[in-house]
Amino acid sequence: MPNLRVLSLSNTKIVELPSDISNLVSLQYLDLSGTEIKKLPIEMKNLVQLKTLRLCASKLYSIPRGLISSLLMLQGVGMYNCGLYDQVAEGGVESYGNESLVEELESLKYLMDLSVTIASAYVFKRFLSSRKLPSCTLGICLKMFKGSSSLNLSSLENMKHLYAFMMKDFDSLREIKFDWAEKGKETVGYSSLNPKVKCFHGLRKVAINRCQMLKNLTWLIFAPNLLYLKIGQCDEMEEVIGKGVEDGGNLNPFTKFI
């Protein structure tokens, strides 16, 4: 079917794409969301007309180096909440832990909508340093930052279009920190922050899974438009909003829950 432009295999039990997919030279939209596919074939390089690639919530962990950057017409890439759970990737590393994936996404001239999974603190730092990617990111999933006891999310403030945020499989994370320009760029406690500084206006969905050591999610006081919150298997979490927060205004981020 050389004239096929749209192919959706989302939420099927398909486990592998055949190399013959390279024959779909007119394909512009490919949806593999929610599938059992673990690897993409390098032959997908031939899909030079592809504008949208959706991989969200799939088992995909391996993307051949050079594949994404060869799809020059891509405008939308969905890689939110991708990869394996309770399995070890071949070679021990998923593509989401490699800096090269960030570099390939940066090279996409027409990229406008991005959701991404990142599996390393170093790659997250590299992603945030990009001039292009944070500004077009709608969703970001952070997972498996090995050995990280604290995580600074200050830079998320600059992601003006961020709609969905997920963290999962942080085995040693205890604390989420912020550096606030209003406080001389120092890391401060929540009790001394101004609750009227609402930073995450666009954030609607937050999911925190298997972060066993995390104590609270007090930073959500700065997400005034939050609609959905899911917390699972966070054994040490006793409260969502920490007790140390002074009541200096409306600190309830849950007023718009459906």
Side-chain angles (χ1 to χ4, degrees), residues 183-220:
K183 298 293 181 181
K185 295 187 177 179
E186 60 185 291
T187 302
V188 298
Y190 289 106
S191 59
S192 58
L193 293 178
N194 180 358
K196 295 179 181 179
V197 180
K198 294 184 173 70
C199 302
F200 306 107
H201 285 285
L203 192 60
R204 299 292 193 274
K205 298 179 67 175
V206 171
I208 311 294
N209 294 315
R210 297 183 295 277
C211 297
Q212 285 91 345
M213 307 299 290
L214 192 60
K215 300 294 185 181
N216 60 60
L217 297 174
T218 304
W219 64 276
L220 290 178

Side-chain angles (χ1 to χ4, degrees), residues 100-170:
S100 60
L101 182 60
V102 174
E103 294 171 349
E104 291 190 50
L105 289 168
E106 277 185 313
S107 73
L108 297 175
K109 181 179 179 181
Y110 302 107
L111 185 63
M112 295 186 295
D113 297 319
L114 173 67
S115 62
V116 66
T117 296
I118 296 177
S120 123
Y122 176 77
V123 175
F124 184 44
K125 184 177 180 180
R126 173 66 181 84
F127 172 85
L128 293 173
S129 70
S130 169
R131 292 185 178 183
K132 177 179 183 177
L133 298 182
S135 63
C136 65
T137 297
L138 306 179
I140 187 166
C141 171
L142 306 179
K143 68 174 190 174
M144 297 187 300
F145 286 21
K146 298 298 182 184
S148 298
S149 61
S150 66
L151 182 65
N152 196 316
L153 295 181
S154 307
S155 297
L156 294 186
E157 180 187 3
N158 300 321
M159 300 170 64
K160 302 302 182 185
H161 301 291
L162 188 65
Y163 178 90
F165 177 76
M166 176 180 285
M167 289 175 53
K168 62 180 185 177
D169 301 312
F170 282 70

Side-chain angles (χ1 to χ4, degrees), residues 64-98:
R65 187 163 296 194
L67 172 58
I68 296 297
S69 57
S70 69
L71 303 175
L72 300 177
M73 302 303 292
L74 277 177
Q75 299 176 10
V77 178
M79 296 180 179
Y80 186 75
N81 190 22
C82 287
L84 302 173
Y85 165 57
D86 70 15
Q87 299 178 50
V88 178
E90 229 173 83
V93 178
E94 296 187 346
S95 291
Y96 315 109
N98 292 331

Side-chain angles (χ1 to χ4, degrees), residues 219-239:
W219 64 276
L220 290 178
I221 64 175
F222 299 105
N225 298 312
L226 197 65
L227 298 177
Y228 173 93
L229 174 63
K230 179 181 179 181
I231 303 171
Q233 298 181 50
C234 298
D235 299 343
E236 293 294 318
M237 190 175 298
E238 297 180 354
E239 54 192 5

